[in-house]
Amino acid sequence: MRIDILTLFPQMFDGLLNCSIIGRARERGLVDIRLHDIRGYTHDKHHVVDDYPYGGGAGMVLKPEPIFEAVESIKSELGLSAVPIILLTPQGRLFTQGTARELAGYQHLILICGHYEGVDERVADHLVSDEISIGDYLLSGGEVAAMAVMDCVVRLLPGVLGSEVSLVEESHIGGLLEYPQYTRPPVYRGLAAPSVLLSGDHGEIARWRRKQSLLRTAKRRPDLIEKAVLAPEDKILLSEAFEIKS
């Protein structure tokens, strides 16, 4: 996959692109991530990318010209007329794990990081194919949102994670939060890991983990449990979990 990111602050991505999972994926050629400074597509000597909003109001608005020209340059380089173009904006649809899976199915993505008071509406109306928000709160710009989207998408690409089992069991993959995790030592400062995890009984371990996943989701994210499609066995496990906790 290739991901092109349009931003006013390409230096913000340095750490993420060179560390951890994304850094290793790039080294192995599993993902090609390219940063484009929007200022590089201006034509005045001061590289102005924003201006006052028509009609008055606070803040500055990103101009359409450099964004259109940056996208057109990328599409020309790729030799493609159609590429998914995503504007990161608080007005977009909410980003979820399902959205990440959807985006991971593309060969190319272009992410546009909004900034200042917003982006000229002609970008949203006539250039982008989708608008995405990572939550109902305000950020200084779309860079943080682009990082979140990129991280979620890249880890879904084939071969990126060392264990496909890890991917399947992570939080939100099945619509539920992940079960609690423990590791050595079995007892630390008098705090013991659940004995079932040390039993070697894989059937009981799987049952315990499913029960804990259901309970954690019900308590912390009731909105998710309400939308989840639960099997009859899940309903029994959830009932048992609440009885134990009460």
Side-chain angles (χ1 to χ4, degrees):
M1 169 182 269
R2 171 169 158 171
I3 303 175
D4 289 87
I5 301 173
L6 276 60
T7 172
L8 295 177
F9 303 100
Q11 65 273 20
M12 289 181 64
F13 293 84
D14 289 347
L16 182 65
L17 294 185
N18 296 301
C19 299
S20 190
I21 291 173
I22 290 182
R24 292 194 297 271
R26 293 179 68 211
E27 289 176 0
R28 294 161 59 194
L30 299 174
V31 63
D32 179 9
I33 300 172
R34 306 191 185 191
L35 301 172
H36 305 267
D37 189 337
I38 296 173
R39 292 183 180 85
Y41 295 89
T42 56
H43 300 288
D44 63 290
K45 67 177 182 178
H46 298 296
H47 302 293
V48 176
V49 295
D50 60 344
D51 209 333
Y52 295 103
Y54 282 138
M60 305 290 280
V61 176
L62 279 177
K63 295 158 65 72
E65 302 103 304
I67 297 176
F68 269 81
E69 292 191 22
V71 168
E72 289 164 357
S73 175
I74 294 168
K75 290 168 68 175
S76 176
E77 179 189 346
L78 292 172
L80 298 173
S81 59
V83 180
I85 304 167
I86 298 165
L87 176 64
L88 285 311
T89 168
Q91 300 180 40
R93 62 178 174 128
L94 186 63
F95 184 69
T96 66
Q97 189 65 32
T99 315
R101 286 195 295 269
E102 172 192 332
L103 299 181
Y106 293 110
Q107 290 298 311
H108 303 94
L109 289 176
I110 297 177
L111 305 181
I112 302 173
C113 302
H115 216 78
Y116 304 127
E117 188 62 25
V119 179
D120 188 291
E121 192 66 16
R122 286 166 287 193
V123 171
D125 287 345
H126 303 288
L127 182 65
V128 308
S129 54
D130 200 356
E131 297 177 69
I132 285 178
S133 166
I134 62 168
D136 296 329
Y137 44 84
L138 296 178
L139 296 168
S140 297
E143 284 75 17
V144 172
M147 292 180 200
V149 169
M150 180 172 57
D151 186 80
C152 289
V153 169
V154 169
R155 62 189 296 109
L156 292 174
L157 300 179
V160 168
L161 290 186
S163 170
E164 297 303 319
V165 174
S166 296
L167 181 58
V168 170
E169 293 186 347
E170 285 182 334
S171 291
H172 297 291
I173 290 293
L176 302 175
L177 301 183
E178 192 177 10
Y179 48 79
Q181 297 276 18
Y182 296 86
T183 188
R184 294 182 178 84
V187 179
Y188 177 67
R189 297 190 177 185
L191 304 172
S195 58
V196 64
L197 298 179
L198 310 176
S199 68
D201 187 330
H202 297 293
E204 281 301 308
I205 291 172
R207 192 171 188 275
W208 180 88
R209 284 175 167 173
R210 184 65 176 177
K211 182 185 293 186
Q212 294 300 315
S213 177
L214 290 161
L215 179 62
R216 176 170 284 188
T217 305
K219 294 180 70 174
R220 299 185 182 183
R221 291 292 304 275
D223 57 312
L224 293 179
I225 207 75
E226 289 175 3
K227 294 185 289 185
V229 179
L230 302 181
E233 174 66 12
D234 287 332
K235 296 178 181 179
I236 294 173
L237 289 174
L238 187 56
S239 178
E240 290 177 358
F242 271 113
E243 287 176 5
I244 293 171
K245 289 292 182 180
S246 62

